[in-house]
Amino acid sequence: MSDKEAGVQLKVEGNKAFANHDWPTAIDFYTKAIEKYNQDPSFFCNRAQANIKLEAYGYAIADATEAIKLDKNYIKAYYRRAIANTAILNSKEALRDFKSVVQKEPHNQDAKLKLSECQKIVRRIEFLHAIEVADAPSPFEGLDIDAVAVDSGYDGYKLGDSMTQEFIDDMIERFKNGKKIHKKYVYQILSAVNKIVYDEPTMVEMKVPQDHKLTVCGDTHGQYFDLLEIFRLNGSPSDSHYYLFNGDFVDRGSWSTEIALLLYAYKWLRPDKFFLNRGNHETDDMNRVYGFEGECKAKYNDKVFKLFSETFSALPLATLIGSKYLTLHGGLFSDDKVTLDDIRKLNRHTQKQPGHAGLMMEMLWTDPQPMPGRGPSKRGVGLQFGPDVTKRFCEANGLEAVIRSHEVRMEGYEVEHDGRCITVFSAPKYCDSTENQGAYINIGPEYKLDFHRFDAVPHPPIKPMAYAQSSLMSMM
């Protein structure tokens, strides 16, 4: 058997894994195919699509580019590179590739539609930049919540001046049944939580008292019914059962407002026993593309999105658990000199959005890699850090490990870097297309990590990305 034939057989195995939504195994087979024979553009193009499914958009761009080098007329590779660039908001680069597709296939109506949608995205980004105002007033200024009347026909539990468990219980059921809460109550929740989280430090420091436990959850991404499954299996938040949600509450899943409002309600009810870290999807640019802005407008109004945006920018960026575990959404830093004190001193209120560089961006975006040192990001944003980087950081700061989220793990969690880097992801069957489990971590007063995995549960027939601004995003 020739190397090319062996490569084709490996590609076939990769296609089988892809069909079963096992993206990591598919990538392994495509990589072996490329190692056998690196002149077939389809090997690279197929791996690009699997990388898109794993949100490794930087790798997908590199693979699609390699496929195009091998075959300059490979339409599918241009498509996939465009989709990957769209995902990381490189819309102008995506636009060039969609134009190439239309030039090469002028009668391709689907390509023309994708080109038109990409042009709209570019125009909208340019418009938003043009009207951007430095030091714009807070959307909470002038918000007269008392003047908002709750109509007599509202059939939900009434909210007074403080959050109650009764209101939360009623809200959970309303959301399960496809109902909303009144916008007055939305405003109340957002206003109260904004004050609470704004006053918290950039790195919250907490301990687990005797006879208590803390549950750490990763990304939930608008998968409301899977969030309720965590509470069913593991117990609801209470005075003795703390919870920490490590970012990416919203986007992609189509119940993002429900998750955000429920988590915020718990934060208001127990501000010192319920913890929220910001994720890279608690940011304006991601919310505009991945569905949260559209969902807020569809279910409530544009004001609600702007208020959420303000609260997201006020969220802490990290939580230090018992001086042992630094918990943050993305990962570690481009500079070994960064310490916990640098996080403590970071004034997150002077920079509401993370930008393309700096501590905030790295805390929200970076990922671990198995190789030592640091490398370019597989996402095309941020960087990757190796086990030696994690070891030095933990030793310099007296930590046992870093707990982070930000990436799908097929088993729901993964322990890497000799036990010093732990990823937890809490959105099982992510986007209804990845056959992964979800996970959460229980931590008691002894600070031992107790991992739990769980499976997705059924949900109403609303697809992920239902509120995304463009059908381009549904291809990811």
Side-chain angles (χ1 to χ4, degrees), residues 131-410:
I131 64 171
E132 200 170 50
V133 178
D135 299 321
S138 166
F140 286 101
E141 288 184 22
L143 178 64
D144 187 354
I145 298 175
D146 292 336
V148 181
V150 178
D151 38 290
S152 58
Y154 182 72
D155 60 351
Y157 199 89
K158 306 300 188 290
L159 179 62
D161 294 331
S162 60
M163 182 54 62
T164 65
Q165 187 63 53
E166 291 78 13
F167 183 88
I168 290 176
D169 292 342
D170 179 72
M171 181 169 64
I172 288 172
E173 291 303 312
R174 291 184 71 78
F175 290 164
K176 280 169 63 176
N177 294 318
K179 294 183 177 182
K180 298 177 289 185
I181 60 172
H182 196 276
K183 68 179 180 181
K184 178 186 179 79
Y185 302 146
V186 175
Y187 295 157
Q188 280 184 265
I189 292 169
L190 291 171
S191 179
V193 172
N194 190 60
K195 292 184 179 77
I196 292 167
V197 298
Y198 189 94
D199 290 337
E200 289 184 316
T202 295
M203 182 177 73
V204 173
E205 301 182 46
M206 58 82 62
K207 297 185 183 300
V208 183
Q210 289 299 318
D211 301 318
H212 289 60
K213 73 175 176 180
L214 167 71
T215 299
V216 179
C217 298
D219 305 35
T220 51
H221 274 303
Q223 296 185 196
Y224 177 71
F225 294 87
D226 296 316
L227 171 63
L228 296 187
E229 179 70 356
I230 294 174
F231 293 154
R232 186 188 73 81
L233 293 169
N234 192 51
S236 296
S238 71
D239 287 338
S240 60
H241 188 171
Y242 300 175
Y243 270 85
L244 163 59
F245 284 84
N246 195 29
D248 281 15
F249 328 126
V250 303
D251 280 340
R252 293 192 178 273
S254 295
W255 290 271
S256 291
T257 57
E258 286 82 358
I259 281 191
L261 288 168
L262 178 55
L263 297 184
Y264 274 21
Y266 275 123
K267 181 64 179 176
W268 187 7
L269 182 63
R270 296 184 181 89
D272 57 347
K273 298 169 183 174
F274 195 90
F275 306 93
L276 301 170
N277 286 342
R278 188 179 189 179
N280 67 303
H281 276 268
E282 279 73 55
T283 54
D284 285 356
D285 53 0
M286 302 299 278
N287 294 159
R288 288 180 180 130
V289 171
Y290 285 94
F292 185 61
E293 180 187 40
E295 185 179 336
C296 285
K297 290 179 178 179
K299 293 179 179 177
Y300 295 101
N301 54 42
D302 184 51
K303 183 74 171 178
V304 166
F305 172 67
K306 290 176 179 174
L307 295 173
F308 262 119
S309 171
E310 186 81 358
T311 68
F312 288 167
S313 69
L315 288 169
L317 301 178
T319 301
L320 182 62
I321 302 169
S323 301
K324 293 178 180 290
Y325 302 106
L326 175 66
T327 308
L328 73 172
H329 182 72
L332 296 181
F333 309 97
S334 56
D335 188 341
D336 275 346
K337 294 177 183 177
V338 174
T339 67
L340 294 181
D341 273 341
D342 291 309
I343 301 174
R344 289 185 182 101
K345 294 172 186 173
L346 177 62
N347 185 352
R348 69 192 188 279
H349 301 309
T350 60
Q351 181 187 343
K352 292 189 175 182
Q353 303 302 319
H356 300 288
L359 286 189
M360 185 189 295
M361 182 280 290
E362 291 176 357
M363 293 174 75
L364 298 181
W365 275 99
T366 62
D367 295 296
Q369 64 180 22
M371 306 81 70
R374 294 177 173 87
S377 171
K378 62 188 173 187
R379 298 174 186 272
V381 182
L383 57 96
Q384 295 184 172
F385 57 94
D388 55 330
V389 176
T390 306
K391 182 175 185 285
R392 289 193 297 269
F393 181 82
C394 288
E395 289 179 349
N397 292 280
L399 298 171
E400 288 193 15
V402 173
I403 299 174
R404 41 91 62 184
S405 301
H406 195 38
E407 291 181 280
V408 177
R409 290 293 189 261
M410 298 306 287

Side-chain angles (χ1 to χ4, degrees), residues 53-66:
K53 292 295 186 180
L54 281 178
E55 300 180 15
Y57 301 118
Y59 285 178
I61 291 166
D63 277 341
T65 300
E66 200 61 38

